[in-house]
């Protein structure tokens, strides 16, 4: 119930393409869904976050789509660039409690 | 703002030895988290503190692991005795108020137990 399931494990996308990473959860009490980006040798850093009262949030080339009834949310990276190559983690939390992370997706953008 | 500072960056030790990882959170942050990252299990939450008090340690693998936060500016994660399966990258993160605030991660400690 506390898990966040993330897919795919790895993803290769051509430069300029759309990268899509999906996550699913079971616990309907989750009310905050952030995405973190991690570069090699660094800790993860917050990329974008959404609350379940909206279905979509966009920041530049990054968009979160949220489907409350399906208990799924996804990250879309438009016009993917080689600099976007990193590991991406979806996550979920309840109020100000601990954050539960998915297992991560290693994204590689081909130049 | 210096960010979250972890030390050491790398630690290589032999099985059975004691290992101590250190973390200095961002000043003014009230919550501190210890995570472990492996390829197989991803980012696992080990323990988190709020205002220096341990709130949830259900992720601590076993009694060999212990964590302390004696004051608002310092925390340690200790493994005694260490085992090869403890090899991983250990991250410390801090936030203003728990999970709703952005987590600020340190650069991690890569632990290798031989």
């Amino acid at each position: 119930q506390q898990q966040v399931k993330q897919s795919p494990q790895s993803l290769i996308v051509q430069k300029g393409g759309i990268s899509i990473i999906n996550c699913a959860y079971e616990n309907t009490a989750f009310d905050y869904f952030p995405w973190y980006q991690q570069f090699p040798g660094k800790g993860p850093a917050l990329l974008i976050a959404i609350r379940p009262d909206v279905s979509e949030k966009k920041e530049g080339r990054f968009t979160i789509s949220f489907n409350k009834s399906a208990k799924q949310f996804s990250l879309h990276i438009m016009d993917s660039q080689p600099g976007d190559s990193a590991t991406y983690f979806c996550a979920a939390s309840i109020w100000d409690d601990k954050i539960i992370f998915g297992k991560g997706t290693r994204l590689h953008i081909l130049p | 703002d210096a960010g979250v500072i972890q030390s050491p960056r790398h630690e290589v030790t032999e099985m059975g030895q004691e290992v101590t990882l250190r973390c200095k959170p961002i000043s003014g942050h009230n919550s501190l988290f210890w995570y472990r990252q492996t390829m197989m299990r991803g980012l696992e939450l080990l323990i988190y503190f709020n205002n220096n008090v341990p709130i949830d340690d259900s992720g601590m693998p076993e009694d060999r692991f212990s964590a302390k936060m004696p004051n608002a500016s310092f925390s340690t994660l200790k493994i005694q005795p260490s085992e090869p399966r403890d090899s991983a990258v250990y991250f410390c993160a801090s936030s203003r108020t728990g999970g709703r605030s952005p987590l600020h991660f340190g650069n991690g400690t890569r632990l290798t137990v031989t």
Side-chain angles (χ1 to χ4, degrees):
Chain A
Q1 267 249 329
Q2 287 288 76
Q3 284 186 334
V4 178
K5 295 183 179 178
Q6 184 172 349
S7 64
Q9 209 170 9
S10 62
L11 182 61
I12 299 174
V13 175
Q14 291 280 352
K15 178 182 174 182
I18 303 174
S19 303
I20 302 175
I21 304 170
N22 300 299
C23 285
Y25 63 97
E26 288 296 323
N27 190 345
T28 56
F30 285 140
D31 62 356
Y32 178 67
F33 301 89
W35 285 85
Y36 280 75
Q37 179 188 53
Q38 182 183 30
F39 293 106
K42 302 291 186 182
L46 179 65
L47 182 64
I48 186 173
I50 196 169
R51 301 218 166 110
D53 52 344
V54 298
S55 60
E56 185 175 284
K57 183 173 181 179
K58 184 176 181 179
E59 288 185 3
R61 296 183 294 107
F62 299 90
T63 300
I64 301 177
S65 297
F66 188 83
N67 186 330
K68 189 173 182 178
S69 60
K71 293 184 283 188
Q72 295 175 347
F73 58 110
S74 59
L75 176 69
H76 295 235
I77 306 174
M78 312 300 287
D79 186 27
S80 300
Q81 299 297 313
D84 298 329
S85 297
T87 299
Y88 292 81
F89 294 92
C90 62
S93 71
I94 303 169
W95 189 232
D96 256 346
D97 199 12
K98 60 191 177 186
I99 286 189
I100 305 298
F101 284 88
K103 289 193 174 182
T105 296
R106 298 181 75 171
L107 174 64
H108 182 64
I109 307 300
L110 297 173
Chain B
D1 184 353
V4 175
I5 299 172
Q6 291 187 248
S7 63
R9 283 301 310 270
H10 302 274
E11 177 79 44
V12 180
T13 191
E14 292 184 348
M15 182 174 65
Q17 296 298 305
E18 177 180 296
V19 175
T20 300
L21 312 181
R22 296 173 175 79
C23 175
K24 177 178 168 55
I26 292 173
S27 177
H29 282 191
N30 297 321
S31 297
L32 182 138
F33 304 78
W34 282 100
Y35 284 90
R36 177 171 68 176
Q37 184 176 25
T38 61
M39 287 294 292
M40 289 294 294
R41 302 171 74 95
L43 268 172
E44 298 175 276
L45 178 65
L46 300 178
I47 185 170
Y48 83 96
F49 296 84
N50 195 37
N51 293 320
N52 312 338
V53 176
I55 302 300
D56 186 339
D57 65 354
S58 60
M60 296 286 262
E62 46 201 274
D63 292 345
R64 297 184 298 106
F65 286 69
S66 62
K68 293 182 180 179
M69 192 165 185
N71 56 61
S73 59
F74 185 65
S75 178
T76 60
L77 178 68
K78 186 176 292 186
I79 308 173
Q80 165 63 20
S82 57
E83 297 183 2
R85 60 192 167 124
D86 302 330
S87 297
V89 180
Y90 290 81
F91 286 102
C92 174
S94 69
S95 70
R96 288 192 185 280
T97 58
R100 281 291 181 88
S101 305
L103 293 187
H104 295 259
F105 283 80
N107 286 329
T109 295
R110 180 174 294 277
L111 173 65
T112 303
V113 183
T114 60

